[in-house]
Amino acid sequence: MKQMGKHKRKQYVILLGILIVVVFLFGCQNHNTDSQADMGSSEELTSGLDSVLSQIEIIDVKYKEVWNFEPYSKTYYIEPENWGMYGLEDSTRIASITGLDHMTFADDEQVVFLQTFDYQVCDYIEEFIYTITADNMVQEYIIIMDREGTFRGAAKEQEEYFYVLGENKEEELKEYILGEIEEIGNKFFYYTYVPGYVISDLNEDGYIDLYRPSFPVALYFGKDGGFERRPEEEALDWQWIDYCSQEELAEQERMNTFIEEHVSIKKIENRYVVYAQFHDISNAELINEQIRKLAEENKDYYVSMSIDDIIYVGEKYLVVLMRTRTSDGEYYTEPPVDDGSRYLTFDLKTGNMITLKDILGENYAYDDMTNLMWKAYENKMNEVPDQYSKELFDEYYARVLKEYNEDLQSAEELMPEDKGNRNPVLEDYAQCYFTDDGMVVVYGCSVRFGWPVPPVNYYLNERLEMIESEEYGDDREDVIEHFCSWEEIYDEAEG
């Protein structure tokens, strides 16, 4: 890299020498001439020279570009064998369109990897940059641009050098970059975009802030010209906000109040079955009876209907999520295996549980169910073109139908005494619940089918909130919801 610096300086010196000679010769030609025409010629030549110098690149930067989900996300990188010769910041084109020309790097620090996330429904463009020094030290930065491409600020990812890498940082960075490029190039991989930061005005001072809720937690408050890193203790204190807007926080508080005043948790003795019971609400006993019945029916499984599983409370409907996991029926020592989940919607006026049968009729078919799911999905597809597609929707539900039929066959092959609760219910494959305003279709919540990937090209969230991918384990939040109004539901049912 030190040789690279000498190479740069040599080129600058040569160009500077040429410039001096040209200006000197031109000056000698016009030394005794002060006519307006000659002055115009001088300005024209100088302007032309400035134009030439501004268009050429001092260094021939041999970088590569890779699209992942064109035109929303793009990666620029330099192959490891060319590290030490130049960096992406030496390309005037890349530097100008990505904001690198606003950055100040150490003399021997070079940008070797830059990944942009430029989703058109988001307010900001998010860029991740990796640099390497002559000592093979690696550093990560984040740059924020606005929708017009204006540089809004940058932050160093951490004070210490790149925390993911070990002692052999150069080789580990090479492996990391090659892995990223290989993953980006896999066109059949349903990629989940995991934004590194919550990007919003967290402290409501008029500046956008950056908050990374994943390890290691980090918080940057915006200020004039950039971002100020806050202490880790302060960053940890912000985890309680759950990355929500003020309206969402108010709704959470309303839900917490409801839980404190109206919910208790029961257990089936000697079984790992937890279920919610309600009091001082309309038709509480009828609702409780149905929940108790479901808990008893599933007592040979791990069942959870805890306070965290109360999804919605309105004037007309109450929704509880029932999570089911396989276990031996006793308190287990090993983690149970996820078997699925089901949303239980109760009509507060009658106390009855609302199912797809109430919408589609007693003998509804698989096509009726998927047509209803499509209503919600189509709304989102029209909202954000190119992110969703009918092809992906059909592919997803073809796999759902295959799994459902396989489950039916497996249940039929069981002896009556062994069937237990292994009787597939078509509604359990729909993953939806009902609210006062309509139906919410949920993708990615259940792992029943072994591929909890919603039928989308990639996740997207207008406020760039954290949506983790399935590789993060059972505590992931890979949930995406599509809404369908009551009018659309009834239109579909009648059609």
Side-chain angles (χ1 to χ4, degrees), residues 63-64 66 68 74-79 83 87-89 94 100 105 110-117 127-132 138-141 162 173-174 176-182 184:
Y63 62 86
K64 292 195 173 185
V66 177
N68 44 320
K74 189 175 185 179
T75 296
Y76 306 88
Y77 72 101
I78 291 176
E79 292 183 334
W83 291 1
L88 292 172
E89 76 280 5
I94 295 180
L100 284 177
F105 299 108
Q110 296 175 300
V111 179
V112 296
F113 182 86
L114 187 153
Q115 190 169 18
T116 68
F117 296 99
E127 300 175 351
F128 290 96
I129 295 103
Y130 295 101
T131 67
I132 190 167
V138 175
Q139 181 67 59
E140 182 180 2
Y141 299 84
F162 193 30
L173 182 61
K174 289 178 184 178
Y176 174 80
I177 289 178
L178 292 176
E180 284 288 294
I181 299 304
E182 181 180 354
I184 289 169

Side-chain angles (χ1 to χ4, degrees), residues 156-425:
K156 185 179 289 188
E157 169 66 35
Q158 69 285 320
E159 296 304 322
E160 300 298 327
Y161 283 102
F162 193 30
Y163 61 90
V164 171
L165 304 180
E167 295 181 0
N168 193 357
K169 295 182 182 295
E170 180 184 19
E171 291 302 318
E172 292 191 38
L173 182 61
K174 289 178 184 178
E175 183 178 344
Y176 174 80
I177 289 178
L178 292 176
E180 284 288 294
I181 299 304
E182 181 180 354
E183 184 174 274
I184 289 169
N186 185 353
K187 302 302 182 183
F188 300 102
F189 178 65
Y190 292 106
Y191 190 81
T192 301
Y193 168 47
V194 185
Y197 291 85
V198 176
I199 303 177
S200 61
D201 185 4
L202 296 173
N203 57 357
E204 299 181 339
D205 63 354
Y207 295 94
I208 61 169
D209 307 309
L210 306 177
Y211 177 67
R212 184 182 61 222
S214 58
F215 177 82
V217 173
L219 174 66
Y220 298 87
F221 281 153
K223 62 178 183 178
D224 288 331
F227 297 92
E228 176 188 9
R229 184 184 178 91
R230 307 301 300 167
E232 183 179 4
E233 296 77 15
E234 185 175 351
L236 291 170
D237 289 341
W238 281 81
Q239 288 187 321
W240 68 272
I241 68 171
D242 200 24
Y243 336 126
C244 293
S245 65
Q246 292 301 316
E247 293 78 11
E248 290 167 326
L249 287 173
E251 176 60 21
Q252 282 187 14
E253 186 60 33
R254 186 184 73 85
M255 183 68 77
N256 290 337
T257 301
F258 173 83
I259 290 170
E260 289 176 3
E261 296 178 353
H262 302 286
V263 183
S264 60
I265 298 299
K266 304 293 183 181
K267 293 183 179 181
I268 294 182
E269 188 177 356
N270 297 326
R271 305 283 179 172
Y272 203 92
V273 177
V274 178
Y275 60 96
Q277 294 283 269
F278 299 89
H279 53 87
D280 298 326
I281 66 171
S282 299
N283 292 296
E285 187 49 47
L286 181 56
I287 292 172
N288 290 340
E289 180 183 347
Q290 294 171 87
I291 291 178
R292 286 194 300 268
K293 182 179 179 181
L294 283 169
E296 187 65 30
E297 288 175 353
N298 290 274
K299 66 182 180 182
D300 289 335
Y301 301 89
Y302 166 102
V303 175
S304 173
M305 286 179 278
S306 68
I307 58 173
D308 293 332
D309 298 319
I310 299 173
I311 305 300
Y312 173 83
V313 179
E315 293 184 4
K316 300 178 181 178
Y317 296 104
L318 165 69
V319 179
V320 181
L321 176 64
M322 182 176 75
R323 305 175 190 269
T324 310
R325 297 180 179 183
T326 301
S327 72
D328 60 3
E330 303 292 336
Y331 286 102
Y332 55 84
T333 55
E334 297 295 329
V337 178
D338 284 346
D339 190 50
S341 58
R342 181 180 180 188
Y343 291 93
L344 313 176
T345 303
F346 296 96
D347 186 331
L348 291 173
K349 291 185 177 180
T350 66
N352 295 325
M353 189 163 64
I354 305 299
T355 68
L356 287 182
K357 291 180 181 179
D358 299 293
I359 305 298
L360 298 174
E362 184 73 24
N363 298 316
Y364 76 92
Y366 193 84
D367 287 344
D368 298 323
M369 183 190 80
T370 53
N371 287 339
L372 192 56
M373 300 299 103
W374 168 248
K375 276 292 183 181
Y377 187 86
E378 186 180 26
N379 288 347
K380 184 60 72 172
M381 188 178 76
N382 294 333
E383 218 174 89
V384 188
D386 302 327
Q387 180 187 191
Y388 303 84
S389 75
K390 183 65 164 62
E391 179 183 4
L392 287 172
F393 177 89
D394 290 341
E395 178 185 326
Y396 179 84
Y397 278 101
R399 288 182 287 170
V400 171
L401 178 58
K402 180 176 181 292
E403 190 74 20
Y404 173 60
N405 287 332
E406 290 176 352
D407 288 350
L408 280 176
Q409 183 177 353
S410 297
E412 290 172 357
E413 294 172 353
L414 292 173
M415 297 296 290
E417 62 272 16
D418 296 328
K419 279 191 175 183
N421 300 298
R422 296 294 186 179
N423 291 312
V425 179

